[in-house]
Amino acid sequence: MWLVVMTAGKSQGEALSPNLAPPTDWQLWENLREVWDRGRIPSAFAGSLLVMVPAVAGVLVLGSMAAWVLARRTGRAYAVLYAAAISGIVLPPAVVTIVLLLRQLGLAGTAAGMIGVYAGIYLSTVIFFVTGFVRTIPLELEEAARVDGAGPVKVFVRIILPLLRPVLATATILICLYVWNDVFYAFFVLGGRLDTLPLNLFQVASAGLYLNNWHLIFMYVVLMSLPLLIVFVVAQRKIISGITSGAVK
């Protein structure tokens, strides 16, 4: 972080050889203004939000519902199903197959296709986190709600989902971090048809504006990291306290 901030505040000549020394003449605001004006930051920021928000929301909802069912069902078939559901954590996605499938579906290069890819990749992570947490919730809470006439949807929304806030907060931070910083899948799926912050950084770093301009590249990195850094600093205490209280309970 020190290297990134120090290089972002240097002139072009000083930044040619990145090091830990602070700049002799701070040009932080000048570099910020140039990157903001010429680096397509607003459009890339909007593109990242367009992909990240639906992907994270969808994977949290679907993953928590699947985890609830898998945590409450017993038997060999459900154990195999749970193992298959979390296998995505260790099995690498087949990128070529994903791209070919999206082309067949007409979703290649679209935000909807990218959202589906992220949801498929990180669904296993949410199921793994939430299933263990659901098993610590007393079954008597659900039984009492069913006695009062609540159906499965109402039990999940009114009883289970509020208790999942700590683990869902942790999963949200992790998945937001993965999606926000991803350039690999965005490069193959979007193919430059939609701007996201990491994909835009990859593209402009190879263009004439950013060629050997390390001070501008590092300033872009600062701007790209700032939103999630602020969210993490603000939510860190609540996330940790929520996890602790959930574990004690």
Side-chain angles (χ1 to χ4, degrees), residues 57-71:
V59 77
L60 289 178
V61 172
L62 295 176
S64 58
M65 289 192 296
W68 178 48
V69 174
L70 293 172

Side-chain angles (χ1 to χ4, degrees), residues 84-105:
I86 66 172
S87 62
I89 298 176
V90 295
L91 297 179
V95 180
V96 176
T97 307
I98 290 175
V99 174
L100 293 177
L101 177 61
L102 291 176
R103 287 179 180 175
Q104 292 291 330
L105 297 175

Side-chain angles (χ1 to χ4, degrees), residues 6-169:
M6 291 302 104
T7 308
K10 294 180 179 180
S11 62
Q12 181 182 11
E14 278 191 289
L16 284 177
S17 299
N19 53 60
L20 298 177
T24 55
D25 182 22
W26 282 92
Q27 297 187 11
L28 197 65
W29 296 110
E30 292 81 356
N31 296 339
L32 173 62
R33 191 180 304 111
E34 184 172 1
V35 170
W36 185 271
D37 293 338
R38 303 177 61 186
R40 306 199 309 268
I41 295 291
S43 62
F45 182 80
S48 290
L49 286 180
L50 179 64
V51 171
M52 184 186 73
V53 173
V56 174
V59 77
L60 289 178
V61 172
L62 295 176
S64 58
M65 289 192 296
W68 178 48
V69 174
L70 293 172
R72 293 310 190 199
R73 299 293 188 271
T74 58
R76 183 174 300 177
Y78 284 98
V80 173
L81 186 60
Y82 173 71
I86 66 172
S87 62
I89 298 176
V90 295
L91 297 179
V95 180
V96 176
T97 307
I98 290 175
V99 174
L100 293 177
L101 177 61
L102 291 176
R103 287 179 180 175
Q104 292 291 330
L105 297 175
L107 296 176
T110 64
M114 196 70 255
I115 292 169
V117 170
Y118 286 139
I121 292 174
Y122 299 118
L123 190 63
S124 296
T125 304
V126 176
I127 293 176
F128 177 75
F129 273 108
V130 179
T131 301
F133 193 88
V134 171
R135 287 170 178 165
T136 65
I137 299 176
L139 187 60
E140 290 77 11
L141 294 176
E142 301 176 32
E143 294 175 347
R146 290 192 178 96
V147 169
D148 291 337
V153 176
K154 197 170 185 179
V155 170
F156 177 76
V157 174
R158 296 289 183 88
I159 305 298
I160 301 300
L161 197 57
L163 297 176
L164 295 181
R165 289 177 183 174
V167 68
L168 290 182

